[in-house]
Amino acid sequence: MTGDILVFGRTGQVAQELGLLAPGAIYLGRDKADLKDPRGCAEQILSIRPRAVLNVAAYTAVDQAEAEEPEARIINGEAPAAMARAAAELDIPFLHVSTDYVFDGTGGQARSEMAATAPLGAYGRSKLMGEHGVENAGGNWAVLRTSWVFSSFGNNFVKTMLRLGSAKDELGIVGDQIGGPTPAKDIAAALLVMAEQMSVDPGKGGIYHFAGAPDASWAEFAQEIFAQAKLGCKIREIATAEYPTPAVRPLNSRLDCGAIAQRFGIRRPDWREGLAEVLARLEQIR
């Protein structure tokens, strides 16, 4: 089926992993599908008429979104809704990637898909707007909420830690934010499995959570990165309050991923294994 999949996104982490897993798919970057033009994105779907659509493109500058919320709302909110309406018109699966930032991060339990949403900032509000737009479009749709994405591509926490850990003897890393680091490769693989099954059984659509296991703090994530990369940099745990950012981060990013396992047979990946693979890939391309 991969040759009949249309992917919005070409340079992001999940898009590049999809490129390795499904090289026969059609990938649209900003040059051919600018998400600031929702109508143009919808027209691409209606013109190409694929068997399934995956939207892995997004406005992801969390802090910058505080000053650019109107643009974030178009890219993360209006564009996915327009795509979903076009996919519904063609009666094909439409899958959209969302985020744990739609929650307020309170409490200490993993959030289910039915938990109340209450984003803390502009990025989360724009992504929640996209979720609502996709759902309201009807048709054969799915929203995949994920968290703490990393890979050998683009900019992410792993690559930042490798750079800083190689240059410094000690780093202060936030220890009171907890979530599930998620390899982009596993997100890409999950989307392909979902698209395939939804093509056969449209009733499987809906909102799903998918994140790596086990849950960890950013400090614990960094510690594992340094251990696997054999870096001697020491970790000093700090509180979120000691590292202020323009956008407020949720303290609790734990996601209950039981539904996707039950409906699609997709289990939470061990992010430590994914990290080892990413580090090996980075070593190869040095």
Side-chain angles (χ1 to χ4, degrees), residues 224-246:
E224 182 66 20
I225 294 168
F226 292 161
Q228 289 199 23
K230 295 180 173 57
L231 294 176
C233 183
K234 295 181 180 179
I235 300 294
R236 176 174 50 87
E237 288 197 22
I238 63 173
T240 296
E242 298 177 63
Y243 189 71
T245 55

Side-chain angles (χ1 to χ4, degrees), residues 122-145:
Y123 169 71
R125 288 192 293 269
S126 71
K127 294 297 286 185
L128 184 58
M129 177 183 174
E131 290 189 9
H132 289 161
V134 170
E135 182 175 6
N136 291 336
N140 186 2
W141 64 274
V143 168
L144 187 67
R145 291 178 182 148

